[in-house]
Amino acid sequence: MNDTFKALADPTRRQIIQLLKERDLTAGEIADRFSISKPSISHHLSTLKNAGLIDDTRQGQNIIYSLNMTVIQETLGWFLGMMGTKGDDSRV
Amino acid sequence: MNDTFKALADPTRRQIIQLLKERDLTAGEIADRFSISKPSISHHLSTLKNAGLIDDTRQGQNIIYSLNMTVIQETLGWFLGMMGTKGDDSRV
DNA sequence: ACTTTATTTAGATGATTATCTAAATATCTA
DNA sequence: TAGATATTTAGATAATCATCTAAATAAAGT
């Protein structure tokens, strides 16, 4: 959970996630959309992958990244849990 | 938005939020529930307040902190936007 | 006014992080 | 196997962050 929030606490990484929401992309395609170096993007991708937010699969020379909705759903659940009646401590 | 995610990217701050979900608490009551120093908790509270996640109001010697659901709702919205059909780029 | 209690602000320190360049690895093609 | 392309790993550096102790501010009680 902490890895997830830490991964999301960076604007570049959130943008990457937004890009992957549209369609799967190779590391290079992702890097092309930013003005920072490829190694930096690679590092961000590794952070996102480590948090379980994205998956990767090699296809020839390319590595294709895709969103993994599982962790996003879990995190959404955290917020939903937050939205119960304020002060709700489960007394019926 | 970035302030929100950064504020949430710390376990102590998330725990503070969980505590405030149950009921409003003074700075001291919050600090009592952690093993780190009061100044550190005060700093965390200031980070959360800066992100709009909590409000404070002085009452005598105490400062009472409370959850502000507005930003939490907005952030929930971010996740909901994420949950649209994967690949959804709005072609009807 | 002085003391106590509650809280924050200041200033310092060690750890983590975002970024870079250079080098390594992996795959494909000629 | 040599060369080109795609990507990551290594190592360095500057910035940000979590934490601490000590000092300052605020309110209340004596």
Side-chain angles (χ1 to χ4, degrees), chain B residues 16-88:
Chain B
I16 290 174
I17 286 183
Q18 303 278 8
L19 288 175
L20 292 178
K21 179 175 183 296
E22 301 308 317
R23 66 179 184 85
D24 297 354
L25 293 168
T26 68
E29 286 172 326
I30 293 168
D32 286 347
R33 286 166 166 77
F34 295 88
S35 46
I36 63 185
S37 72
K38 279 181 213 293
S40 294
I41 292 293
S42 181
H43 177 248
H44 282 307
L45 290 170
S46 135
T47 300
L48 288 168
K49 189 187 169 193
N50 204 56
L53 286 161
I54 63 176
D55 294 321
D56 65 342
T57 173
R58 179 176 279 274
Q59 195 148 313
Q61 284 169 297
N62 303 312
I63 296 179
I64 299 176
Y65 284 92
S66 57
L67 257 195
N68 182 332
M69 297 308 287
T70 312
V71 174
I72 290 174
Q73 268 168 308
E74 284 169 11
T75 311
L76 177 72
W78 188 89
F79 282 94
L80 286 174
M82 219 60 206
M83 298 287 300
T85 304
K86 193 173 170 181
D88 186 356

Side-chain angles (χ1 to χ4, degrees), chain A residues 15-34 41 45 54-59 62-67, chain B residues 86:
Chain A
Q15 267 185 268
I16 291 173
I17 285 183
Q18 303 277 9
L19 289 174
L20 292 178
K21 179 176 183 296
E22 300 308 318
R23 66 179 183 81
D24 296 353
L25 293 167
T26 68
E29 286 172 328
I30 294 169
D32 286 347
R33 286 164 166 79
F34 295 89
I41 293 293
L45 290 170
I54 63 177
D55 294 320
D56 66 341
T57 172
R58 179 175 278 275
Q59 194 147 317
N62 302 312
I63 294 178
I64 300 177
Y65 283 92
S66 56
L67 258 194
Chain B
K86 193 173 170 181

